[in-house]
Amino acid sequence: MTRYSIASLVRNAFSGHRNWQPTWRSPEPREAYDIIVVGGGGHGLATAHYLAKVHGITNVAVIEKGWIGGGNVGRNTTIIRSNYMLDGNEPFYEWSLKLWEGLEQDVNYNAMVSQRGVLNLFHSDAQRDAAARRGNTMRLYGADAELLDRDAVRKLCPFLDFDNGRFPIQGGLLQARGGSARHDAVAWGYAHAASARGVDIIQNCEVKGFLRDASGSVVGVETTRGAIRAGKVGIAVAGHSGHVAAMADVRLPIESHVLQAFVSEAVKPIIPGVVTFGAAHFYISQSDKGGLVFGGDVDGYNSYAQRGNLPIVEDTCESAMAMVPMVGRSRLLRSWGGVMDMSMDGSPIIDHSPVEGLYLNAGWCYGGFKATPASGWCFAHLLATDRSHDVAKAYRLDRFITGEIIDEKGQGPQPNLH
Ligand code: FAD
């Protein structure tokens, strides 16, 4: 069902668009809420939506210092997939992919979810073994995975450099249900659905500190628009997790790094899905407009600047030329950066914080877009019930003390995918 009929489109075209209904409400903040979610990115908005829809908790505010879609949710390269291997990760990401598959109907918003496939190339016998093992594990968890040989990959992607002297392509692991989604529309869709259920979305409102009671519990937030009280406060601020948690004297095992991405001028459809290089940190897909969308590794130093640097541009383009040389013939349209919350094992945290009343959703590194639905679902579960959701129970903060880390290629600081 579309929100606007043809008649309303025509009427608004002639009335100078004065009658459009905003996609979400922009109310003044109330004095108090049951739950405040700090951060109006994909994760914060999804949390609010599922709090309202699944748990019936609607006295909720999402507090965003900038504008909806201005953070990483609108800066990523839009890849969604569930090709993980470890126990702590695969059920969570497969649940996320299932939620992606029903997302547009759930929030009644076109997020352009497109299951066009994610192909991870391998270049050696050892990498083939690892890909086979990963694929088998995925299938055990109910996900789809197909090991392709060199000929099958050539049929799918004839434009790759199969005989590259250093990294000849031997095959790939395909997840056909993986693909992409229009990133900022995901934020708009969740904002629209949460707002319709009564959640207040407060933009241009920065959290500058936390209200504490005599016992030290968090009982609200100090913002640039005044103090707002809350029964519980959840942080979902991605690259600013360390900074915001520090306002409550919580030190997180997280560093902030910039990740860049690039888009070329539009060309005719050529790249069928997402393709990742197995020999260096590089991946590429094609947008619906025709631009080649690609990216590489994070910047090597900590930063909160939302822009990148030339060594990574050079490194990414070098990998592009090794894997798909035709990229060198297209002109680069633009590049941009976002601030990543890099956890020390590459996996996220969805947990209570050491401070009563304060809850954490952080450490998504450069793979948090695909996690958006499940992250929101599980954070809402934690906030509503005070218990971890089954598929997120490994994402504990104390694993960095106990040593039960979830160190998996594919999400963390190791080269592979986004
Ligand atoms: P954000 O959208 O950043 O939301 C956090 C919000 O918190 C921001 O809007 C910010 O303004 C707000 N905030 C911060 N501090 C405060 C404060 N004090 N008060 C109030 N609000 C505050 N992931 C994938 O799965 N697939 C990909 O292909 C992929 N590619 C990427 C490519 C790039 C270039 C980048 C930058 C990231 C990529 N990611 C990808 C990672 C993914 O985008 C992030 O992990 C994810 O978006 C983070 O969650 P979020 O959407 O909630 O973050």
Side-chain angles (χ1 to χ4, degrees), residues 329-373:
R329 308 208 31 204
S330 61
R331 277 167 294 198
L332 199 61
L333 205 59
R334 61 198 164 85
S335 67
W336 64 93
V339 186
M340 308 289 86
D341 38 340
M342 306 301 290
S343 68
M344 293 300 106
D345 64 355
S347 293
I349 299 159
I350 303 179
D351 202 359
H352 298 89
S353 83
V355 177
E356 188 68 30
L358 186 67
Y359 298 73
L360 303 170
N361 175 314
W364 294 98
C365 302
Y366 37 53
F369 178 63
K370 72 181 76 66
T372 305

Side-chain angles (χ1 to χ4, degrees), residues 38-45 63-81 84 205-208 236-240 243-244 247 258-262 283 306 336-341 361 364-372 418:
V38 185
H43 292 227
L45 293 163
I63 310 278
E64 167 55 47
K65 75 171 175 182
W67 68 97
I68 297 306
N72 293 333
V73 70
R75 292 168 182 270
N76 60 66
T77 40
T78 76
I79 301 167
I80 61 175
R81 59 184 171 85
Y84 287 72
C205 182
E206 181 171 356
V207 169
K208 305 287 270 183
V237 293
H240 292 84
H243 172 66
V244 172
M247 294 176 191
V258 172
L259 179 69
Q260 303 181 62
F262 308 83
Y283 62 101
Q306 290 194 128
W336 64 93
V339 186
M340 308 289 86
D341 38 340
N361 175 314
W364 294 98
C365 302
Y366 37 53
F369 178 63
K370 72 181 76 66
T372 305
H418 284 265

Side-chain angles (χ1 to χ4, degrees), residues 65-121:
K65 75 171 175 182
W67 68 97
I68 297 306
N72 293 333
V73 70
R75 292 168 182 270
N76 60 66
T77 40
T78 76
I79 301 167
I80 61 175
R81 59 184 171 85
S82 70
N83 51 2
Y84 287 72
M85 196 170 87
L86 295 186
D87 252 357
N89 279 330
E90 182 54 16
F92 174 86
Y93 284 98
E94 179 53 21
W95 173 232
S96 207
L97 197 50
K98 289 214 168 67
L99 289 172
W100 279 113
E101 287 169 336
L103 178 75
E104 291 163 318
Q105 289 71 25
D106 183 21
V107 298
N108 190 19
Y109 204 89
N110 182 4
M112 296 166 70
V113 176
S114 167
Q115 292 180 287
R116 55 184 71 179
V118 173
L119 175 66
N120 309 142
L121 301 177

Side-chain angles (χ1 to χ4, degrees), residues 104-352:
E104 291 163 318
Q105 289 71 25
D106 183 21
V107 298
N108 190 19
Y109 204 89
N110 182 4
M112 296 166 70
V113 176
S114 167
Q115 292 180 287
R116 55 184 71 179
V118 173
L119 175 66
N120 309 142
L121 301 177
F122 52 78
H123 311 265
S124 66
D125 292 349
Q127 276 191 321
R128 184 199 289 111
D129 290 351
R133 200 158 54 240
R134 180 179 293 266
N136 288 340
T137 313
M138 287 167 64
R139 280 190 291 271
L140 284 175
Y141 280 110
D144 64 306
E146 201 183 335
L147 198 67
L148 304 184
D149 64 14
R150 183 181 162 95
D151 289 344
V153 172
R154 197 190 287 278
K155 224 166 148 188
L156 213 56
C157 302
F159 48 82
L160 297 174
D161 185 357
F162 285 83
D163 300 312
N164 181 298
R166 288 177 71 196
F167 312 115
I169 294 166
Q170 292 199 10
L173 184 67
L174 175 69
Q175 182 172 35
R177 282 167 60 244
S180 60
R182 160 91 196 234
H183 46 192
D184 38 15
V186 172
W188 303 332
Y190 273 123
H192 160 65
S195 171
R197 287 181 186 271
V199 169
D200 283 359
I201 294 169
I202 321 277
Q203 299 180 78
N204 294 314
C205 182
E206 181 171 356
V207 169
K208 305 287 270 183
F210 292 98
L211 302 175
R212 314 282 285 263
D213 67 9
S215 68
S217 302
V218 164
V219 290
V221 290
E222 291 281 6
T223 79
T224 45
R225 291 169 68 176
I228 313 174
R229 301 186 72 80
K232 294 176 181 176
V233 177
I235 303 177
V237 293
H240 292 84
S241 300
H243 172 66
V244 172
M247 294 176 191
D249 307 314
V250 175
R251 187 153 183 246
L252 295 180
I254 284 177
E255 288 184 5
S256 291
H257 288 253
V258 172
L259 179 69
Q260 303 181 62
F262 308 83
V263 66
S264 77
E265 61 185 336
V267 294
K268 288 185 179 172
I270 170 84
I271 301 188
V274 180
V275 192
T276 74
F277 200 21
H281 204 149
F282 175 77
Y283 62 101
I284 190 164
S285 65
Q286 188 164 17
S287 77
D288 292 325
K289 275 196 293 192
L292 304 178
V293 180
F294 54 93
D297 214 342
V298 284
D299 285 7
Y301 52 88
N302 296 359
S303 169
Y304 285 108
Q306 290 194 128
R307 58 168 192 274
N309 64 30
L310 283 173
I312 292 286
V313 176
E314 194 178 6
D315 185 64
T316 306
C317 292
E318 203 178 329
S319 299
M321 293 303 291
M323 185 181 106
V324 36
M326 70 174 179
V327 168
R329 308 208 31 204
S330 61
R331 277 167 294 198
L332 199 61
L333 205 59
R334 61 198 164 85
S335 67
W336 64 93
V339 186
M340 308 289 86
D341 38 340
M342 306 301 290
S343 68
M344 293 300 106
D345 64 355
S347 293
I349 299 159
I350 303 179
D351 202 359
H352 298 89

